[in-house]
Amino acid sequence: TVDGVDVPAATRDTLAGNGVIHAVGAVLMPTVVEAVKSVATLSTLASAIATAGLAETLSGAGPYTVLAPTDDAFTDQSVLDTLGVTTVAELLTRADLAGILQQHVVPGLLPSGDIVNGAEFPTLQGETVKATVAGAETKLGDATVTATDSIAGNGRVHTINKVLLPPSLADVAATLGLTVLADLLAAADLAALLSYHITGRVYTVFAPTDAAFNAYFTDAGTTLEGVKGDQEALAAILLYHMVEGVVTAGDTVTGPAATMTGTTVALVQTETQDLVVNGATSSSPNNRAGNGVIHVIDEVLVPPTKNVAGTAVDRGFSSLVRGLEAAELRGLFEMGGTEKFT
């Protein structure tokens, strides 16, 4: 076979004076990845696809339509500033590179003739790209289409003059109306975690609604301003709602997940694909951003403040506590050591 196309035995090895011919059963076409590689002005995109681990996906059956930023688009100062980097080399090392590139891939075949004014196209990243056509100019998002319909065996490639940045976690949080969370992150000097400026890391945020925070303030006998007054405690609460990496409903493995406090939350994926964290079911899961995902929850997650032994007492695990005491092991699980136990 050649690129998966069968070469029948009867049509192989037709010799000529200057070579040999093998007749195949179909026209061999490049993949969209190979089509990108073949264009000299798309070399940065080709490198980015390989670095982000998307080459295998985009070499599959598809079809895929790639909106391909030129090399000049990747060096645009506004893009570098937004991402908090100074060079393209830095950009290519970011953990959120795949999310950025997925905003440039439309699942399905999108010939240029279907790019009409006002049309919106979903991307692999989860957002949409809107087309604007005015006279001879066609724009996708804020990028101008400069070349169209590079045909591949598994899709099309259209060249654009800007990088399409998907919304950041901060943008998504604003769209979801999570104003108290945003206010508290700013007060704790943690707002930058939701932007693109933290070395390209990606996060999963379990985001309480404004109502959930207000209920928490009432139960704790405090107020929004009162919580802001203790930055250390506030930071501990907020970071307990964040996990580095992307955890999505539908792909979650039930079990503990390490939060940015160093302690864990308990994740459960139900049979109905609901995502439950510490008993709180996400009312709005999988809100994707270029640098992570937000799951909206209706409770504030309170980080543990006691040691294993104290928690066992509170939860009524009396047999466990008696066993630890009988084996003279309770002290091992008391507060004061640096060890962590499961």
Side-chain angles (χ1 to χ4, degrees), residues 56-331:
E56 182 176 355
T57 297
L58 297 181
S59 296
Y64 301 105
T65 298
V66 177
L67 312 177
T70 62
D71 294 345
D72 287 343
F74 279 100
T75 60
D76 184 275
Q77 194 61 50
S78 65
V79 171
L80 298 178
D81 289 345
T82 299
L83 297 178
V85 298
T86 57
T87 66
V88 172
E90 288 181 74
L91 189 158
L92 295 182
T93 64
R94 296 171 63 92
D96 60 0
L97 179 61
I100 293 171
L101 294 181
Q102 286 169 343
Q103 182 71 357
H104 298 78
V105 181
V106 175
L109 191 62
L110 178 60
S112 59
D114 291 346
I115 303 176
V116 296
N117 190 50
E120 295 188 8
F121 308 105
T123 69
L124 285 185
Q125 194 276 330
E127 292 292 318
T128 59
V129 175
K130 185 174 181 178
T132 304
V133 180
E137 182 181 67
T138 297
K139 301 190 80 170
L140 290 167
D142 61 352
T144 300
V145 179
T146 58
T148 61
D149 293 319
S150 177
I151 298 174
N154 65 340
R156 298 284 175 96
V157 177
H158 306 303
T159 303
I160 57 178
N161 70 345
K162 289 187 178 181
V163 174
L164 303 173
L165 289 178
S168 68
L169 286 167
D171 297 327
V172 174
T175 299
L176 293 170
L178 301 172
T179 56
V180 176
L181 175 62
D183 192 5
L184 292 176
L185 285 166
D189 199 24
L190 294 173
L193 287 174
L194 301 193
S195 77
Y196 278 119
H197 291 279
I198 303 298
T199 64
R201 291 179 182 151
V202 292
Y203 300 103
T204 296
V205 181
F206 303 107
T209 61
D210 289 0
F213 272 116
N214 290 329
Y216 168 75
F217 299 151
T218 299
D219 292 343
T222 186
T223 63
L224 174 63
E225 295 306 315
V227 169
K228 290 180 182 179
D230 187 344
Q231 279 205 333
E232 184 176 351
L234 174 58
I237 292 173
L238 295 174
L239 293 175
Y240 189 60
H241 290 76
M242 297 182 68
V243 171
E244 189 161 357
V246 174
V247 177
T248 56
D251 298 322
T252 302
V253 176
T254 295
T259 71
M260 293 184 65
T261 63
T263 56
T264 62
V265 290
L267 300 181
V268 175
Q269 182 74 65
T270 70
E271 292 182 359
T272 57
Q273 302 302 302
D274 288 328
L275 178 61
V276 181
V277 52
N278 282 11
T281 301
S282 175
S283 57
S284 177
N286 292 350
N287 297 282
R288 299 298 296 264
N291 58 335
V293 62
I294 291 177
H295 306 293
V296 179
I297 56 177
D298 296 325
E299 298 178 30
V300 174
L301 307 178
V302 180
T305 57
K306 291 189 175 182
N307 57 71
V308 171
T311 301
V313 171
D314 288 349
R315 296 294 180 89
F317 299 133
S318 56
S319 296
L320 172 61
V321 174
R322 287 196 299 271
L324 291 173
E325 290 173 342
E328 298 183 351
L329 291 175
R330 179 166 177 168

